[in-house]
Amino acid sequence: MTRWIGVFLEYMMGRVGMCHKWVACMKACVFGGNMSILVNGSPTEEICIKRGLKQGDSLAPFLFLLVAEGFSGLMRNAMSLNLFQGFEVGNNGLVVLHLQYADDTLCIGKATVGNLWTMKALLQGFEMASGLKINFSKSSLIRVNVPPEFMTMACDFLKCSEGAIPFKYLGLPVGASSRKMFAWDPLLNLLSRKLNMWGHRYISFGGRIVLLNSVLNSIPIFYLSFLKMPTKVWRRIVRVQREFLWGGVEGGRKISWVKWKSVCQQKRNGGLGVKDVRVVNVNLLAKWRWRLLVGDKALWKDVLKEKYGACVENMMGGGPCVIPNNASLWWKDIARLDDFGGHGWFSSELSKRVGNDLHTSFWKVRWRGETTFKIKYPRLFSISNQKEATIGDLLALNCSNLEWNFNWRRSFFVWEGQLLANLLEDLEGVVWSQEEDEWRWNLEDNGVFSMKSAYGKLEGLMLSEGLWREEEKGGSIRCGRVRPPRKW
């Protein structure tokens, strides 16, 4: 790290509010430090290394993020001065300027000459201020509904190449349809290369099971955490895993002595404990659904709200979600998550602990009892004038007593009065609290979503739904169906 980068790092640490003592410690790590070498167990004299941080140091990425934050500040300042026009999402003023992860930066803006001048000035200014070198030859400019003539001029101006959609960002294909096979080709090729690395090695059956879980099942995790895997891709991956399990490193079509459905069973249920990638895929997508319900404010949530509006708001409130026809494939997969495991597997395990009652739907969210009041009392829900009301809308504090203010569109029949009495009995014991409403995952005692508990439920549901039938048709040969040769 050069002295000039260190000066800029010191400036950025001061801008983010770090104290002088902490800044001094970081300067000592970056520009100072002594080390000694152990020779036969005995340390030599200390050597002044002058540059304390080396490549691979665990502290280096965090310090780099502080330096890169300077570019984010430049982008925000340029937008506030109307020098750069970002991409506007919706009609409420949400603007996306750039996405940044470590040294991978994606700048987003309108195709104007003014934006090109501002972008080049910002990049060169950041280069001179921080001491970091911008590699324009490795950068690319990608167009969306922009004339080719403008792109040719822009690439010549910025001295960069022209990219195309789809492109890769952080290892994932951006702009590619997850339903298409070519989007998954890099993953399938990686699995093949990993098997080739194990070639000409003898691996026992137990060792192959360990490698299946620790390596072959771990490679697709990053893809599966964001994209919904098509059935044909699932069958390809299962075929690679099955041939490796029964045929060893060389693979090939071998006899599958046990159905893959049984192989994926847990060991206590008579299986081999191999995780099925389809169940893992749905499980990882469920984490996005959970993050949408809980957690702090995030940019991706704001973008979803601006793009899909009431659909996202209803989902965050626990209500039904009507998916727009123009929705992205990713959002459709997240919104239809309950359909993949069957029986509303995700929503059925969600409940809400009521606090100040400002956002919880009275009828449509399970917040008291084993089901929602809409399902438990459908007759009362049908005659209510407050179908979209929250708990706070119906609850009133009267002399330290809680009262429920219902509004019905007609008078009750005699038997409907008993339903209301049962409803009020269910509502006894409700306590007003100043805390925020909180979603809970019922499969965990602490109420926090976990991959382990979700996988346990999904595994049983997807096995019972018979989702392995297509895989069995795809080439699995079972011992029970092998006929002996005829006697002559």
Side-chain angles (χ1 to χ4, degrees), residues 102-202:
D103 59 344
D104 292 326
T105 303
L106 188 66
C107 299
I108 307 171
K110 295 183 179 180
T112 62
V113 176
N115 272 3
L116 291 178
W117 277 102
T118 303
M119 178 60 62
K120 190 166 187 176
L122 291 180
L123 291 175
Q124 292 180 343
F126 178 73
E127 188 179 76
M128 292 186 292
S130 65
L132 297 176
K133 180 67 176 177
I134 307 297
N135 194 339
F136 286 95
S137 62
K138 288 186 177 180
S139 304
S140 60
L141 202 62
I142 302 173
R143 65 188 179 99
V144 179
N145 297 329
V146 177
E149 297 79 10
F150 183 89
M151 285 297 298
T152 303
M153 179 272 297
C155 292
D156 292 339
F157 180 76
L158 294 177
K159 306 300 181 183
C160 62
S161 60
E162 181 177 354
I165 294 178
F167 62 95
K168 268 195 172 184
Y169 182 68
L170 302 181
L172 288 175
V174 178
S177 173
S178 60
R179 304 293 192 266
K180 302 296 184 180
M181 198 68 184
F182 72 88
W184 298 85
D185 285 338
L187 174 62
L188 298 174
N189 294 334
L190 181 59
L191 290 174
S192 301
R193 290 198 303 268
K194 181 62 68 174
L195 288 177
N196 293 334
M197 291 173 59
W198 297 336
H200 307 293
R201 297 182 183 179
Y202 174 76

Side-chain angles (χ1 to χ4, degrees), residues 320 362-365 371-379 381:
F362 178 86
W363 293 102
K364 300 178 182 180
V365 175
T371 184
T372 64
F373 287 137
K374 174 184 176 180
I375 297 177
K376 190 173 183 180
Y377 301 104
R379 186 70 173 186
F381 176 77

